[in-house]
Structure formats: structure tokens, C-alpha cells
């Protein structure tokens, strides 16, 4: 283990001013179960140096950013799209939340995605890969709250699939295959009783690692594990998925979960699992689910290798060379470097699982997540110290002190990521630090504070903070992606698969979708096909009777980029957006007698206010 550097010593003495050193702080947190927030009270004052250099990035008006930022929006349930380095927010992509900007959760298509659920907790967003870098096709994001996985299609920047992971709670870390579009691996964080197990008996609880097919979005298999799973990663060859694994104790209260000095990095042998699942060898099912389940809990089993790492680890990140997986200690001031080429020998029993560990450098108190540049350096977020630690992987392996610099961030950093860090093309330009507490750094906003994002320039020898700005809670995790890899369309293709339902409905009525305005009545079902083109809807008036089930299919036939319309029906809780060449449908019951104006909520034309019509219910 490396000795403290001068940097470390300086950090130490700053903390001592508060009357307590970092290690004591950590131990205090562990011993008494005090929250990190309580530890902050004795933390450091803001660093003037970092503040002065804040907000020195300039991307001129009309100039385009070099990178897309993909942000998971935490408890907001959404995904956000930013431009970097300007940090301009470009779009919020609703996923698990209801949103009337675009009509997510209002249109028939998106109601079918959400199935009546309108809340979620998006932690980890990753993009699909080909040969170790992004292919621009999909984004995948978890919902920790309701154990779901969603897919975002990047050609239109919207959610097109949401699935529930069976027999899991707290789906947390997810990661797709990096060699090609193949699996998306999902970790359950909470152990739960399944298949009639007794909720009173924690020894009967189960935790599962799940593989979802990235194209069909169907669950392929699940593996039963010891402990519970946290963050997820894959290697670059398709050999392994992996999970940091705290609570090896199987505890249900805090003190029980922190008892062991080491928990695990669990590595999943994908070839062995796929082979036995295919052959139906040793698989079972749980409850009503038909998904094959493999048991990876026994010692020395061929599916899961449990590599001991200290202590309640959090975060596992694979470096751009694909050689190393780095776990953070959370309750140990260390990172653990695992050499992935040794894992096969450990599975084969030629070496012990612990022999896969090649370094355990000390990086600071409360390490969480690690990002990488193109020069063999790692950047670890340190929650309790409120710093980003830059350290060198090769030096750590040699047993030298690897710490190069510690930069103050404000305050209590959670995730960090570096530009292209999760790919083989990491470019060493930027690190984003997503800080959980902003405390006194912005105008007061009442008891709920904004969070703070800091963009750090890592292109030189020294890390420099270049942007410091508030963020709507919670910017949970982020990817920084070269813009040329992402090529979204500007106008919908009317033949897209998204419009299947509306196309079928039009065919059933013999309507040329998007070309004709027609109204049909069958019993109490009213179906309206109409166009929207600035500044008018296809019908200035629609009639219905109380109790009718009304379906309105609207096509925005404007061909002009950026010319969006929408459909909002007064007093019916119905508000959707319609992009150029897009068709949406909404179905609702006409349950109130009277006149209700429908109007276009997107400012589309000088006569936008006149873009409306009467819905008359008799
Ligand atoms: S993990 S608490 Cu991203 Cu650090 Cu969810
Ligand atoms: Cu169309 Cu406003």
C-alpha cells in the first residue's frame, strides 16, 4: 500500500483544523452510524483557488459544443442532455416520469411504456457499444425505485422500451456489453424474499444479477448471488460482467452491513452462464417468472468469482485499456485494482480470487467512483474529503505513491466521469464532478438546495476547475461523449416503427395517415384523424357525446426543422407535443358536458394563439 504523499499530508492538516482528522472522521461515521451529512459539518471551507477559476469556459453564441453530456436525473426519473464544455442544458428526456412538454405518459405510445407508473429513480445511464466505443444507437438507464430498465433510442432521443426485472428490488448498477450490442447487465441492490421465502428470515433472501437482451429487451437469465450488488461494469471482450458487492454479511440493518472488513467484487463468467442456460443445466425458475436462474452462491462455483475487496465497496470502473477494474473502498480510504486477465486463472482454481488484486492505493476518505484519461491516470471521487484525486495506475501497481493531485470540489462529490472514459477512446480532456451538496454557493432557494456541477479541465498536468454551476436535483451520473458519435434525426420518418399503432388504426379505417382529416363513430367510440400545420389543426371543431371514448390521431405535417406543435385539451389533463412529421394518438373519455377548447401549446407561428378548435360534448 502506498504511503501518504505531501498532498495527503496537506489535506490531513486542513482537516485537523476542524479538530478531527479524516481517518477519525470516517471511523466515527462507521462506529456511530452518523450520516455523511453530519461529517460535512466539520469539513473544509470552500477553496478560493477553485472558485476563481470557475466558469472560464466560453463556447460562443451559435457555436456547437464538442461533446454531448448524458446525465441521469436521479429521483426526477428523467435523463438530461447537455452540451459540453459549455454545460448548456439541451433537453430533458422523460423516461420514468410523466412530462407534458413532449406528452410522455399522455400519448397512447408512452402510456403503454409507463403502464400507469409515473415515478422513477434513474441512476446509471450507459450507451450501446461497438468494438469498445459508442455506436450511437441506444442509451440504457435503470430505475432503482421500481426495478426497471429503460432504453432510449438515440436516433430520436426518446424512450422506446421499459421493462420490469423480475424478482428484484433496487435495480441499481447497469452496464451493456462493450464489444457489440448484446446484453445489458443489471444489479439488484436489495435482497428480498422470493418464491414464498419468509420475510422475517433474512437468511432466506435472494439477490439477482440479470442479463437483458439489448435488442429485444427481454430478460435472458438471472444469477443468484451472495451479498447484494451495487455498481456494474463489463470488460471489453464480452467475457465478464461484474458488480461491486457490499453487505457480504447479508445484514438488514446498518451495523450488520458494515461488519466485514472486506466484501467483494463479483465477476460473472458470461460464457459459462450462457452455455449452461442454453443447455438448461442446473437452471431453475422463481415464482411466475419463466426466466432461467443459475445459482452462483456456492463457493468455487463456475459462474461467479468473489474477489475480496475492502470495505463496503462502491463503484467499479474498467480502465480504457480494458486491463483493470477499479473498485472504491467507500469505508476504506483505498481503491482496489483488479487485473482482469487473472480472472480466468482464478475461475480455473489456479490462483486464489484475492490474487487478482494487483494494487490497493490510498486515495482519500470515502472514495466512490473512478474515471480515466488516456495517459494511464485515474480520477476518483472522494465523498467525505470533497476532493477529486488524480492517481497513476502503473505507479500504484509498482507499490509507489500514485497520488498526483487532489482538487477540492464543492461539496461531497458522488459520481465523476471523464470524457469518453468508459470507452477505449478516453481522451483526457474533461472530468465532471457531480456534487451532492451546494450549501452556501448559490442564492438561497429554500430548504431544498440545488446541487452543484463542476467541470474540470484535465488536459494539462494540473486539474483546473473551469465551470461551477447549479443543477436541478439530482444529476446522478454522467457520460461525456464526442459529438460526432451521436447523430439524431431532425425530423421524424413517417415510416418509423414508433407509429405502428396509429398506422394500423388508419388502415382499419381506410385513412391515408397524415394526408386526410376524417372522423369516425362506431357505437360510443369516436376516432379522429387530423393534421396539424401552422397555424391550424385539420378540424376546427370535434363533436362527442358524454361517455364517448375518443381517440385523436394527429400528424404534424410541417416539414420544417424545429417547427413543433402540440395538442392540449382544456380541463382534460391532456397535453402532448408533436414534432415535425410525427404522429401521436391520445385516447380519453368525454366525461364532461360542454365546450372545451383544444389548442397548440408549442409557440409555432405568429398565429399560434389562433391554432385551436372547439371540442363540444353534448
Ligand atoms: S451510485 S447511490 Cu451511482 Cu454512487 Cu447510485
Ligand atoms: Cu402549432 Cu402553436
Amino acid at each position: 500500500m502506498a504511503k501518504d504523499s505531501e498532498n495527503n499530508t496537506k489535506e490531513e492538516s486542513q482537516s485537523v483544523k476542524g479538530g478531527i482528522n479524516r481517518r477519525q472522521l470516517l471511523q466515527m461515521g462507521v462506529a456511530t452510524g452518523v450520516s455523511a451529512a453530519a461529517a460535512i459539518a466539520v469539513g473544509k471551507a470552500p477553496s478560493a483557488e477553485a472558485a476563481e477559476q470557475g466558469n472560464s469556459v466560453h463556447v460562443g453564441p451559435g457555436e456547437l459544443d464538442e461533446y454531448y453530456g448524458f446525465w441521469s436525473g436521479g429521483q426526477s426519473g428523467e435523463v438530461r442532455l447537455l452540451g459540453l464544455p459549455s454545460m448548456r442544458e439541451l433537453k430533458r428526456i422523460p423516461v420514468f416520469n410523466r412530462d407534458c412538454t413532449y406528452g410522455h405518459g399522455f400519448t397512447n405510445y408512452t402510456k403503454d411504456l409507463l403502464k400507469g407508473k409515473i415515478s422513477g429513480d434513474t441512476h446509471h445511464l450507459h450507451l450501446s457499444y461497438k468494438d469498445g466505443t459508442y455506436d450511437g444507437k441506444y442509451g440504457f438507464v435503470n430505475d432503482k425505485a421500481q426495478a426497471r430498465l429503460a432504453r432510449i433510442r438515440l436516433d430520436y432521443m426518446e424512450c422506446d422500451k421499459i421493462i420490469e426485472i423480475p424478482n428484484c428490488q433496487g435495480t441499481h448498477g447497469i452496464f451493456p456489453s462493450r464489444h457489440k450490442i448484446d446484453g445489458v447487465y443489471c444489479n439488484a441492490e436489495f435482497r428480498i424474499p422470493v418464491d414464498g421465502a419468509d420475510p422475517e428470515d433474512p437468511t432466506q433472501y435472494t439477490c439477482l444479477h440479470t442479463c437483458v437482451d439489448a435488442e429485444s429487451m427481454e430478460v435472458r437469465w438471472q444469477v443468484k448471488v451472495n451479498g447484494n450488488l451495487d455498481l456494474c461494469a463489463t470488460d471489453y471482450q464480452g467475457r465478464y460482467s461484474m458488480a461491486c458487492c457490499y453487505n457480504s454479511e447479508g445484514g438488514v440493518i446498518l451495523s450488520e452491513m458494515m461488519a466485514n472488513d472486506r466484501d467483494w467484487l463479483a465477476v460473472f463468467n458470461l460464457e459459462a452462464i450462457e452455455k449452461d442456460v442454453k443447455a438448461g443445466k442446473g437452471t431453475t425458475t422463481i415464482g411466475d417468472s419463466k426466466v432461467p436462474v443459475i445459482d452462483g452462491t456456492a463457493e468455487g462455483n463456475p459462474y461467479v468469482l468473489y474477489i475480496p475487496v475492502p470495505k463496503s465497496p462502491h463503484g467499479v470502473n474498467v480502465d480504457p485499456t480494458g486491463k483493470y477494474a477499479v473498485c472504491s473502498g467507500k469505508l476504506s480510504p483505498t481503491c482496489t485494482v483488479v487485473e482482469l486477465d487473472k480472472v480466468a486463472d482464478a475461475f480455473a482454481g489456479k490462483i486464489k480470487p484475492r490474487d487478482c488484486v494487483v494494487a490497493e492505493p490510498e486515495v482519500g476518505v470515502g472514495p466512490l467512483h473512478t474515471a480515466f484519461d488516456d495517459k494511464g491516470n485515474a480520477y476518483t471521487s472522494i465523498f467525505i474529503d470533497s476532493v477529486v484525486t488524480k492517481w497513476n495506475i502503473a505507479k500504484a501497481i509498482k507499490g509507489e505513491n500514485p497520488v498526483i493531485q487532489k482538487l477540492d470540489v464543492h461539496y461531497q462529490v458522488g459520481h465523476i466521469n471523464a470524457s469518453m472514459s468508459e470507452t477505449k477512446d478516453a481522451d483526457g480532456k474533461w472530468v465532471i464532478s457531480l456534487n451532492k451538496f451546494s450549501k452556501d454557493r448559490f442564492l438561497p432557494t429554500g430548504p431544498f438546495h440545488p446541487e452543484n456541477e463542476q467541470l474540470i479541465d484535465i488536459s494539462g498536468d494540473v486539474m483546473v476547475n473551469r465551470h461551477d454551476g447549479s443543477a436541478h436535483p439530482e444529476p446522478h451520473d454522467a457520460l461525456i461523449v464526442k459529438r460526432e458519435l451521436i447523430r439524431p434525426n431532425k425530423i421524424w420518418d413517417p415510416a418509423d416503427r414508433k407509429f405502428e399503432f396509429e398506422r394500423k388504426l388508419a388502415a382499419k379505417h381506410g385513412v391515408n395517415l397524415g394526408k386526410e382529416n376524417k372522423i369516425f363513430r362506431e357505437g360510443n367510440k369516436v376516432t379522429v384523424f387530423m393534421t396539424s400545420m401552422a397555424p391550424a389543426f385539420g378540424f376546427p371543431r370535434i363533436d362527442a357525446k358524454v361517455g364517448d371514448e375518443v381517440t385523436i390521431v394527429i400528424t404534424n405535417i410541417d416539414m420544417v426543422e424545429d417547427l413543433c406543435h402540440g395538442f392540449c385539451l382544456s380541463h382534460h389533463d391532456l397535453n402532448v407535443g408533436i414534432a415535425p412529421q410525427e404522429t401521436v394518438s391520445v385516447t380519453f373519455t368525454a366525461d364532461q358536458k360542454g365546450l372545451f377548447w383544444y389548442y397548440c401549446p408549442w409557440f409555432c407561428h405568429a398565429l399560434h394563439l389562433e391554432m385551436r378548435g372547439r371540442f363540444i360534448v353534448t
Side-chain angles (χ1 to χ4, degrees), residues 72 121-124 142 144 172-173 189 230-231 314-315 330 368-369 381 413-416 436 474 476-477:
S72 52
D121 188 10
T122 56
H123 278 220
H124 306 110
N142 75 308
K144 177 166 171 172
H172 191 206
E189 187 174 342
D230 193 13
L231 274 296
H314 186 70
K330 194 168 79 190
L368 294 185
H369 299 280
S381 57
V413 50
H415 274 272
I416 63 169
K436 301 294 127 207
E474 174 202 45
H476 184 90
D477 188 10

Side-chain angles (χ1 to χ4, degrees), residues 303-530:
Y303 312 113
V304 190
L305 185 75
Y306 297 92
I307 301 173
V309 298
K311 170 179 184 167
S312 298
H314 186 70
V316 51
N317 299 89
V318 172
D319 85 317
T321 69
K323 277 179 96 164
Y324 305 112
V326 176
C327 289
S328 300
K330 194 168 79 190
L331 300 183
S332 154
T334 54
C335 278
T336 302
V337 184
V338 169
E339 190 174 333
L340 292 173
D341 282 339
K342 293 189 187 249
V343 167
D345 279 350
F347 266 116
K350 290 182 198 156
I351 58 171
K352 290 253 178 315
R354 67 161 181 268
D355 297 330
C356 301
V357 173
V358 292
E360 261 176 31
E362 219 171 292
V363 291
V365 177
L368 294 185
H369 299 280
T370 299
F372 306 94
D373 64 17
D374 54 345
K375 300 171 200 77
N377 299 314
Y379 301 78
T380 301
S381 57
I382 314 286
F383 181 79
I384 294 177
D385 282 346
S386 284
V387 297
V388 169
T389 299
K390 176 181 178 182
W391 56 280
N392 182 272
I393 300 171
K395 277 192 168 177
I397 292 170
K398 275 191 234 151
E400 295 167 14
N401 171 26
V403 174
I404 298 164
Q405 187 193 355
K406 291 185 178 186
L407 183 75
D408 287 342
V409 287
H410 310 99
Y411 305 90
Q412 274 46 63
V413 50
H415 274 272
I416 63 169
N417 221 331
S419 40
M420 298 296 290
S421 175
E422 306 280 5
T423 76
K424 67 176 173 30
D425 299 325
D427 65 3
K429 295 276 173 57
W430 299 102
V431 157
I432 183 76
S433 172
L434 304 171
N435 309 318
K436 301 294 127 207
F437 293 75
S438 65
K439 294 202 265 186
D440 50 3
R441 290 182 76 79
F442 305 111
L443 284 175
T445 57
F448 279 122
H449 289 38
E451 298 191 11
N452 188 10
E453 303 173 320
Q454 290 178 310
L455 186 67
I456 299 162
D457 183 344
I458 57 164
S459 61
D461 290 336
V462 179
M463 293 185 277
V464 181
N465 183 12
R466 293 256 190 224
H467 167 98
D468 183 317
S470 59
H472 184 65
E474 174 202 45
H476 184 90
D477 188 10
L479 299 176
I480 306 172
V481 178
K482 281 198 176 128
R483 74 166 188 229
E484 53 270 26
L485 298 174
I486 309 294
R487 284 175 234 86
N489 297 319
K490 295 179 174 170
I491 293 183
W492 276 95
D493 174 1
D496 192 84
R497 59 183 159 84
K498 182 184 170 186
F499 313 125
E500 207 187 316
F501 170 76
E502 288 78 13
R503 262 200 304 270
K504 276 193 187 148
L505 200 61
K508 195 180 134 202
H509 289 91
V511 167
N512 195 349
L513 192 63
K515 303 275 190 296
E516 293 175 293
N517 291 298
K518 285 197 170 165
I519 298 179
F520 299 88
R521 171 180 284 279
E522 307 149 276
N524 70 338
K525 278 195 175 153
V526 177
T527 310
V528 180
F529 295 89
M530 71 172 180

Side-chain angles (χ1 to χ4, degrees), residues 170-407:
T171 294
H172 191 206
I174 63 144
F175 215 101
S177 308
R178 286 196 236 220
H179 58 308
K180 62 175 184 183
I181 292 192
D182 186 358
V184 184
Y185 302 92
C186 307
N187 288 339
E189 187 174 342
F190 304 147
R191 302 170 66 247
I192 53 167
V194 293
D195 237 357
D198 181 5
E200 294 294 342
D201 180 6
T203 64
Q204 295 184 24
Y205 294 179
T206 293
C207 183
L208 298 166
H209 181 67
T210 300
C211 173
V212 176
D213 186 284
E215 283 291 3
S216 71
M217 289 292 279
E218 274 162 23
V219 179
R220 273 195 207 154
W221 46 256
Q222 300 186 297
V223 177
K224 234 184 239 187
V225 299
N226 300 314
N228 60 206
L229 304 173
D230 193 13
L231 274 296
C232 191
T234 55
D235 71 348
Y236 278 80
Q237 293 89 356
R239 299 169 299 176
Y240 309 119
S241 59
M242 58 202 93
C244 59
C245 194
Y246 72 96
N247 195 15
S248 56
E249 304 86 348
V252 289
I253 57 167
L254 191 61
S255 55
E256 292 169 2
M257 295 187 204
M258 302 189 309
N260 291 349
D261 273 340
R262 280 182 185 261
D263 299 277
W264 302 301
L265 174 68
V267 183
F268 298 85
N269 186 337
L270 299 177
E271 199 192 325
I273 294 166
E274 297 265 354
K275 200 174 123 221
D276 284 359
V277 165
K278 219 174 181 178
K281 192 178 144 198
T283 62
T284 52
T285 56
I286 298 176
D288 300 333
S289 160
K290 304 233 154 37
V291 175
V293 179
I294 285 236
D295 189 352
T297 59
E299 216 187 301
N301 79 83
Y303 312 113
V304 190
L305 185 75
Y306 297 92
I307 301 173
V309 298
K311 170 179 184 167
S312 298
H314 186 70
V316 51
N317 299 89
V318 172
D319 85 317
T321 69
K323 277 179 96 164
Y324 305 112
V326 176
C327 289
S328 300
K330 194 168 79 190
L331 300 183
S332 154
T334 54
C335 278
T336 302
V337 184
V338 169
E339 190 174 333
L340 292 173
D341 282 339
K342 293 189 187 249
V343 167
D345 279 350
F347 266 116
K350 290 182 198 156
I351 58 171
K352 290 253 178 315
R354 67 161 181 268
D355 297 330
C356 301
V357 173
V358 292
E360 261 176 31
E362 219 171 292
V363 291
V365 177
L368 294 185
H369 299 280
T370 299
F372 306 94
D373 64 17
D374 54 345
K375 300 171 200 77
N377 299 314
Y379 301 78
T380 301
S381 57
I382 314 286
F383 181 79
I384 294 177
D385 282 346
S386 284
V387 297
V388 169
T389 299
K390 176 181 178 182
W391 56 280
N392 182 272
I393 300 171
K395 277 192 168 177
I397 292 170
K398 275 191 234 151
E400 295 167 14
N401 171 26
V403 174
I404 298 164
Q405 187 193 355
K406 291 185 178 186
L407 183 75

Side-chain angles (χ1 to χ4, degrees), residues 532-537 558 563-566 599-605 607-609 611:
S532 68
M533 186 176 166
F537 288 110
D558 273 304
L563 214 177
C564 301
H565 299 292
Y599 67 93
C600 167
W602 280 71
F603 209 121
C604 57
H605 191 274
L607 295 172
H608 156 72
L609 292 179
M611 188 167 175

